[in-house]
Amino acid sequence: MALTSADLGDGTYRNPVLDADWSDPDLVCVGDDFYLTASSFGRVPGLPLLHSRDLVNWTLVGHALQLLEPARDFRKPRHDCGVWAPSLRHHDDRFWIFWGDPDHGIFQVNAPEIRGPWTRPHLVKEGKGLIDACPLWDEETGEAYLVHAWAKSRAGVKNRLTGHRMRPDGTGLLDEGKVIIDADRIPGWFTLEGPKAYRHDGWFWIFAPAGGVETGWQGAFRSRGFFGPYEERVVLEQGDTEVNGPHQGGWVRTGAGEDWFAHFQQRGPYGRVVHLQPMRWGDGGTSRSSEAESGGGWPVLGDKGVPVAVHRKPRLPPQPPSAPATDDDFPGGRFGRQWQWTANPHDGWATQHSADGLRLSCVRTVDAHDLRGLPNVLTQRLPGTPATVEVELRLDSEEPGARAGLAVLGDAFSWIGLQREADGSVRLVHRFAESVAERERDAAHPREAPEGRARLWIESGAGARCRFSYDVGGGRQPSGQVFAATPWRWVGALLGLFALAPVGGGHAGAASFTQFRITSSFR
């Protein structure tokens, strides 16, 4: 069966509502529609845009960022860099997305409609270590603000949030900034990051996680003034659930007046999957401030502060079950929105034509021995549940050493595919590289592929343990040992399609991929 939505069909849903690496989600409600974006790091296009009418059933409708800037820095893969923790807002009849690039500064793009056209990235604040940026337009006063966190790897500091006054048009900042929350002064708090700023009930609110992505908690802060002082409470933590480090997300209010909170859970090779928590305003949470004001008015998330596994859906009109697309027939050589390159793309990597199928040029490269260094790998997210991935491959290149295949790509990688030999024959090859290895090596003995084509499979089981198999004309056969998929530091493992050739002169030919499918394989 195909991958399914989180909608259980009986008025309830199960978490996670997005069971793949939609990292650092933020969302907004505009009319009857909900929109969500997520971190895209070094992949292109970036800033995915998802749409829902009920917060449970989601579809991918586009991307807000067509190229990473500065372009010269993203000619090659920088898997853990680029777009970190974006914030999505709707203001002055426009959609806005702000994010921090830890090496360059805080950027924003905006558009009149969610599908664009989106502006080119505008640098709002230049600097190292500026991450997790969020704007706030105060509709009561007309003032605009911006809050961001810090990456210690670049700035030497972390665990604090800095606030600025911002130009109402979002083009720049009006001051040097002030530390508005210093979590070093809050007993037990560390790695405060990911702020999302709101105005509610006469208070300035900042929702921000702390404690680390795998072991932390979600906090809420409030103050009568944007620049503080703030008091804090823990509003969501793991408790006795399996949802480790419930972390970093956004609050949204439906047209029916219900409040909901979407956040991520770190799941190793699967990346950061998205959960949806019911939310209400009351006297919930755990105060960790000695000066906390008495009374209600604090957000209560999940089931009294711990995540829910199954819950009733938001009170909104029923929607057909849906989930972001995975399958692709590549009509006319075009690939679907679910695919991203591992760096800024070049013309000619994928060729359009009149039939179905993805035609990838065999790009000549000095990095043929290591997929992690290739910008021309076309990727999508590894599903968070057991699944079978399959694709048909034909190698059309006559270039000795040319190869193409289907990969699981992370800090370690493994791929299966076809390679043209010096004698003109084509072989089925299966290779891998450990995280500490600089070059790939064989995972199984090469085999003849007499017709220059193969059907390829990767079965991803519990814990993202992957089994590879192939059919080159004699029936489906297993290949190699089980391979455990691994993430990069911040990015989950990816599925990838690629075609390449050794360094040389002239065009090296192409490879064709058809009928890409991902199906659930619960066992």
Side-chain angles (χ1 to χ4, degrees):
M1 62 189 235
L3 298 181
T4 58
S5 81
D7 193 332
L8 296 178
D10 59 0
T12 65
Y13 69 92
R14 69 171 184 274
N15 273 317
V17 292
L18 289 167
D19 201 356
D21 189 22
W22 302 95
S23 178
D24 312 316
D26 194 29
L27 70 173
V28 68
C29 178
V30 180
D32 296 329
D33 298 287
F34 301 94
Y35 302 102
L36 181 148
T37 192
S39 294
S40 48
F41 298 98
R43 302 193 301 280
V44 181
L47 291 173
L49 302 167
L50 287 82
H51 171 253
S52 177
R53 286 289 183 91
D54 63 1
L55 293 171
V56 172
N57 294 287
W58 292 92
T59 57
L60 179 63
V61 298
H63 291 82
L65 185 63
Q66 296 309 307
L67 290 173
L68 285 160
E69 295 190 13
R72 65 182 181 276
D73 287 359
F74 293 97
R75 289 176 293 187
K76 290 189 174 182
R78 302 182 66 202
H79 298 289
D80 293 312
C81 301
V83 177
W84 284 22
S87 294
L88 173 62
R89 294 292 182 266
H90 190 259
H91 167 73
D92 196 23
D93 294 324
R94 296 187 72 83
F95 290 91
W96 302 77
I97 302 178
F98 284 66
W99 74 94
D101 178 319
D103 299 303
H104 299 101
I106 293 169
F107 291 88
Q108 60 96 338
V109 292
N110 59 87
E113 305 290 342
I114 196 68
R115 290 172 175 81
W118 288 86
T119 61
R120 283 186 59 179
H122 175 79
L123 185 60
V124 179
K125 181 183 180 182
E126 186 176 6
K128 294 278 191 180
L130 310 177
I131 59 170
D132 306 354
C134 182
L136 174 64
W137 284 274
D138 188 343
E139 304 296 343
E140 297 179 15
T141 66
E143 297 284 337
Y145 304 95
L146 183 133
V147 60
H148 69 82
W150 294 88
K152 187 173 183 179
S153 59
R154 274 72 162 189
V157 296
K158 68 171 187 175
N159 206 33
R160 65 187 64 173
L161 305 180
T162 295
H164 294 265
R165 295 189 184 277
M166 183 176 71
R167 292 175 186 164
D169 63 4
T171 59
L173 304 176
L174 299 175
D175 57 31
E176 294 300 314
K178 174 187 175 183
V179 175
I180 58 176
I181 301 174
D182 184 351
D184 285 346
R185 298 178 178 271
I186 307 175
W189 283 59
F190 59 97
T191 317
L192 179 67
E193 57 187 348
K196 296 291 182 283
Y198 308 94
R199 208 62 168 100
H200 172 68
D201 196 27
W203 296 87
F204 287 90
W205 289 90
I206 294 177
F207 287 48
V213 296
E214 295 184 355
T215 58
W217 57 88
Q218 179 67 40
F221 299 79
R222 72 178 184 183
S223 173
R224 291 297 185 183
F226 176 77
F227 291 98
Y230 283 86
E231 54 180 318
E232 84 285 341
R233 290 194 179 186
V234 175
V235 293
L236 188 70
E237 49 193 343
Q238 180 172 354
D240 59 0
T241 74
E242 296 182 356
V243 184
N244 59 296
H247 209 76
Q248 191 166 328
W251 160 43
V252 68
R253 174 166 287 179
T254 71
E258 287 187 336
D259 296 303
W260 296 84
F261 185 79
H263 67 92
F264 78 74
Q265 174 198 8
Q266 173 67 33
R267 291 192 58 219
Y270 301 115
R272 300 171 179 182
V273 303
V274 179
H275 291 242
L276 180 68
Q277 303 298 335
M279 174 175 155
R280 62 181 176 83
W281 291 90
D283 193 22
T286 303
S287 175
R288 297 199 181 181
S289 171
S290 60
E291 301 176 358
E293 297 185 13
S294 61
W298 287 88
V300 182
L301 274 56
D303 181 8
K304 299 178 182 178
V306 298
V308 299
V310 175
H311 196 271
R312 71 160 180 83
K313 292 172 57 181
R315 292 192 174 95
L316 294 167
Q319 302 297 320
S322 63
T326 57
D327 296 355
D328 207 342
D329 287 321
F330 309 108
R334 297 174 176 86
F335 49 85
R337 299 185 183 100
Q338 65 267 36
W339 297 98
Q340 296 170 291
W341 299 104
T342 48
N344 282 338
H346 291 202
D347 291 338
W349 285 356
T351 305
Q352 295 182 11
H353 52 89
S354 59
D356 287 352
L358 176 69
R359 187 173 296 165
L360 293 183
S361 297
C362 292
V363 177
R364 294 187 182 276
T365 176
V366 297
D367 293 318
H369 58 281
D370 191 342
L371 297 186
R372 293 166 296 196
L374 295 179
N376 58 303
V377 182
L378 195 60
T379 68
Q380 64 168 286
R381 294 159 179 83
L382 180 71
T385 56
T388 299
V389 184
E390 58 179 312
V391 70
E392 182 88 16
L393 167 63
R394 186 181 74 241
L395 182 62
D396 299 319
S397 173
E398 299 295 330
E399 181 80 10
R403 67 201 68 167
L406 169 66
V408 177
L409 186 61
D411 194 39
F413 68 88
S414 186
W415 66 274
I416 190 167
L418 298 174
Q419 177 172 298
R420 179 72 64 177
E421 300 298 321
D423 63 3
S425 66
V426 176
R427 287 181 175 266
L428 186 289
V429 295
H430 180 189
R431 299 197 172 117
F432 79 104
E434 302 165 86
S435 59
V436 295
E438 297 181 356
R439 301 182 66 90
E440 66 186 23
R441 57 193 182 97
D442 285 335
H445 295 295
R447 295 167 174 83
E448 290 288 339
E451 298 182 4
R453 63 171 62 237
R455 190 74 181 166
L456 308 171
W457 290 268
I458 299 175
E459 293 181 88
S460 173
R465 292 172 60 82
C466 299
R467 295 183 179 275
F468 291 72
S469 56
Y470 66 93
D471 182 357
V472 291
R476 185 171 173 179
Q477 301 291 327
S479 182
Q481 302 300 314
V482 173
F483 173 79
T486 63
W488 282 281
R489 187 175 183 186
W490 308 125
V491 181
L494 299 166
L495 299 169
L497 304 176
F498 70 92
L500 56 90
V503 173
H507 182 62
S512 297
F513 297 85
T514 55
Q515 299 178 342
F516 183 91
R517 299 287 184 270
I518 301 180
T519 53
S520 294
S521 54
F522 293 100
R523 56 178 183 263

